[in-house]
């Protein structure tokens, strides 16, 4: 099939390279000329395992081309995916400025029947909005349909999630439009749910909000465990083996962040307000998450007797491993807290340091994880990168002012850390 994908971020670029890999003729579109140049040279503007290899293969095979024109790409395509950002507005609702702009440009390129696919995370009613924009530009209804096809990608495993999704959700008003997506995804042989536009849009928000709720729940339980002498890891395992609950997203830590959960949970709160429902449960999910890192830092502050004049070493900066994404990363919250209290930061991350350096150019960024601990008063484990798992903890602590470790991801066994001379603190124990 002939496919255009507008937007080359995590969702758009992954969608484009995978569809090209499946044998479709794909045009990836971006208005940013610097990104277009990089992509044409085979260099992705994001870090995601497997994307660069697929990008280069698609370009070499001729199944993938890069364009800066939405109109031209639409004219050549049967399906046009909208995969642009929908960041939070000041009031917490999704900002649909980019979606509206792309819909306007798509309308200029529709010359034959075209299926317009909303891949961006958008609130209920956005499919109708896109349809209204295109129709307002004089495009007759019989020449296009708008379909909702929400993504469920996890950064760090986005390629696999695209090729092996748990389910494919297709929301459409007309059966023929839905069948176009069924045909596109048929080779994946995965379960498909065909529903209406509003239900498809709600599935995305409801799914992410439920997962965020599980994380906030286990983090709330971790706070009780710290006070009563229980171990949240054992509690999590004990309840996760219940088939009605499941073990996924029950790992206590510093809380959820990234580009999806914060935006989608707050977005669903705003959607609820619009329809007259006070979603108090989700608001408390947000409150628990916001306090989790602050609680951890209060414990660090207490152990060090204040942070003024102290150096805190951060192991990891991205919001999760295998990505360079720092959107809503807990590292940023920790940096603000330490600097605000008069402390200093040393930092190491295998991928994400350049992005944090743009925000905090004066921090002490080091070249290896062993360098980060030198002259530090405490280490805080922020991101559970695999390269951190088998460290020589004796070597890590050898150059510290005092061997204090706050493990925000429960990466290390307490006995191993203590054997290496660390005073060890973690979540939920």
């Amino acid at each position: 099939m002939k496919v255009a994908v507008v937007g080359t971020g995590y969702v758009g670029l992954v969608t484009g390279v995978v569809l090209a890999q499946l044998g479709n003729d794909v045009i990836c579109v971006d208005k940013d000329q610097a990104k277009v140049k990089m992509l044409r040279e085979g260099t992705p503007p994001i870090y995601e395992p497997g994307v660069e290899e697929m990008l280069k293969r698609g370009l070499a095979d001729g199944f993938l081309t890069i364009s800066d024109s939405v109109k031209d790409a639409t004219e050549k395509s049967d399906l046009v995916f909208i995969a642009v950002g929908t960041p939070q507005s000041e009031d917490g609702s999704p900002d649909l400025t980019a979606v509206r702009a792309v819909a306007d440009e798509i309308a200029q390129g529709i010359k034959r029947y075209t299926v317009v696919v909303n891949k961006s995370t958008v609130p209920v009613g956005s499919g109708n909005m896109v349809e209204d924009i295109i129709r307002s530009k004089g495009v007759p209804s019989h020449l296009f349909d708008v379909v909702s096809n929400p993504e469920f990608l996890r950064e760090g495993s986005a390629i696999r999630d695209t090729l092996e999704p748990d389910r494919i959700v297709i929301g459409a008003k007309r059966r023929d439009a839905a069948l176009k997506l069924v045909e596109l995804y048929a080779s994946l042989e995965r379960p498909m749910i065909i529903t209406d536009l509003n239900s498809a849009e709600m599935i995305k928000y409801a799914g992410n909000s439920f997962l965020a709720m599980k994380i906030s729940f286990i983090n709330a339980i971790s706070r009780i465990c710290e006070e009563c002498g229980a171990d949240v890891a054992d509690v999590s395992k004990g309840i996760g083996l219940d088939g009605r609950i499941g073990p996924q997203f029950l790992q206590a830590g510093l809380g959820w962040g990234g580009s999806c959960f914060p935006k989608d949970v707050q977005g669903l709160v705003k959607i609820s307000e619009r329809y007259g429902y006070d979603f108090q449960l989700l608001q408390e999910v947000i409150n628990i998450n916001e306090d989790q890192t602050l609680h951890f830092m209060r414990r660090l502050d207490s152990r060090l007797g204040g942070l003024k004049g102290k150096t805190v070493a951060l192991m990891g900066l991205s919001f999760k491993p295998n990505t360079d994404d720092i959107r809503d990363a807990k590292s940023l919250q920790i940096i603000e807290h330490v600097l605000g209290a008069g402390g200093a930061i040393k930092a190491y991350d295998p991928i994400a340091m350049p992005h944090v350096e743009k925000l905090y150019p004066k921090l002490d960024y080091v070249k290896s994880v062993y360098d980060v601990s030198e002259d530090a008063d405490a280490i805080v484990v922020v991101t559970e990168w695999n390269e951190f798992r088998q460290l020589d903890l004796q070597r890590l602590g050898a150059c510290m002012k005092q061997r204090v470790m706050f493990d925000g991801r429960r990466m290390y066994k307490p006995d191993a850390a203590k054997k290496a001379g660390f005073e060890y603190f973690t979540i939920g124990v």
Side-chain angles (χ1 to χ4, degrees), residues 44-350:
I46 59 167
Y47 175 81
E48 178 66 33
V51 165
E52 184 170 359
E53 293 83 356
M54 278 195 168
L55 171 63
K56 289 179 177 177
R57 191 181 310 136
L59 293 171
D61 293 344
F63 286 108
L64 181 65
T65 56
I66 311 299
S67 174
D68 61 0
S69 172
V70 175
K71 178 178 178 293
D72 290 349
T74 299
E75 289 178 354
K76 299 173 183 176
S77 302
D78 305 307
L79 296 101
V80 182
F81 283 81
I82 301 175
V84 293
T86 54
Q88 273 190 10
S89 302
E90 288 187 8
D91 67 352
S93 61
D95 182 349
L96 300 180
T97 302
V99 174
R100 292 189 183 95
V102 170
D104 188 280
E105 293 183 78
I106 289 172
Q108 300 172 38
I110 295 178
K111 306 300 181 186
R112 54 195 170 93
Y113 179 69
T114 305
V115 176
V116 180
V117 186
N118 247 341
K119 199 73 173 174
S120 300
T121 299
V122 291
V124 176
S126 298
N128 293 327
M129 177 196 75
V130 169
E131 184 178 326
D132 290 343
I133 290 172
I134 295 174
R135 192 183 293 115
S136 73
K137 301 301 177 182
V139 181
S141 297
H142 72 274
L143 276 187
F144 77 99
D145 277 299
V146 176
V147 174
S148 175
N149 176 219
E151 53 83 18
F152 302 99
L153 309 183
R154 297 166 296 172
E155 290 182 33
S157 60
I159 294 290
R160 186 180 68 186
D161 291 343
T162 304
L163 289 169
E164 302 174 9
D166 294 324
R167 75 287 197 201
I168 296 169
V169 176
I170 301 168
K173 291 182 178 180
R174 293 196 285 203
R175 179 177 174 81
D176 287 350
L179 290 179
K180 283 282 188 180
L181 271 292
V182 171
E183 180 183 351
L184 180 69
Y185 292 127
S187 63
L188 299 180
E189 298 183 338
R190 308 302 292 182
M192 296 193 195
I193 299 172
I194 298 177
T195 183
D196 58 273
L197 278 171
N198 288 355
S199 296
E201 291 165 348
M202 181 59 81
I203 285 169
K204 169 66 175 182
Y205 278 96
N208 273 356
S209 295
F210 187 85
L211 296 177
M213 182 179 67
K214 287 186 74 172
I215 297 171
S216 284
F217 176 83
I218 200 63
N219 280 337
I221 293 296
S222 78
R223 299 282 290 273
I224 303 170
C225 289
E226 290 169 10
E227 298 300 324
C228 74
D231 188 331
V232 74
D234 292 337
V235 176
S236 174
K237 184 176 181 180
I239 64 175
L241 288 172
D242 186 325
R244 298 167 300 176
I245 298 173
Q248 295 88 355
F249 294 85
L250 281 181
Q251 289 71 48
L254 291 172
W256 38 268
S259 61
C260 291
F261 282 5
K263 178 170 66 73
D264 293 354
V265 176
Q266 187 64 54
L268 186 51
V269 170
K270 289 298 178 181
I271 290 169
S272 303
E273 289 177 1
R274 189 201 311 163
Y275 291 100
Y277 179 69
D278 183 7
F279 211 147
Q280 296 179 50
L281 174 61
L282 270 194
Q283 188 56 59
E284 194 55 35
V285 166
I286 295 169
N287 294 340
I288 291 169
N289 189 66
E290 289 178 348
D291 190 59
Q292 183 71 359
T293 305
L294 291 175
H295 167 70
F296 199 61
M297 295 311 295
R298 288 192 292 265
R299 293 172 64 196
L300 174 65
D301 195 312
S302 176
R303 168 56 189 85
L304 295 182
L307 297 174
K308 188 174 183 178
K310 306 293 173 51
T311 298
V312 176
L314 301 188
M315 287 172 52
L317 296 169
S318 57
F319 89 93
K320 63 180 286 189
N322 297 321
T323 180
D324 61 349
D325 197 343
I326 60 167
R327 286 176 286 184
D328 226 347
K330 296 305 174 183
S331 61
L332 305 184
Q333 193 175 356
I334 293 170
I335 289 169
E336 283 292 326
H337 183 86
V338 173
L339 296 181
I345 292 284
K346 295 186 73 172
Y348 172 76
D349 187 286

Side-chain angles (χ1 to χ4, degrees), residues 355-417:
H355 298 311
V356 179
E357 195 167 4
K358 292 176 184 176
L359 301 175
Y360 300 97
K362 295 183 180 180
L363 300 188
D364 186 2
Y365 299 95
V366 298
K367 295 182 178 180
S368 82
V369 66
Y370 288 113
D371 293 335
V372 82
S373 60
E374 186 173 350
D375 294 327
D377 293 282
I379 286 177
V380 178
V381 181
V382 183
T383 313
E384 60 273 38
W385 285 96
N386 278 334
E387 72 174 74
F388 297 164
R389 295 188 183 280
Q390 302 298 325
L391 294 181
D392 181 341
L393 295 183
Q394 285 279 4
R395 179 182 172 188
L396 186 68
C399 297
M400 295 182 70
K401 292 178 182 175
Q402 45 186 331
R403 297 192 186 197
V404 176
M405 177 182 287
F406 275 72
D407 185 353
R409 299 300 179 186
R410 295 183 61 105
M411 284 195 70
Y412 302 110
K413 294 181 178 179
D415 289 346

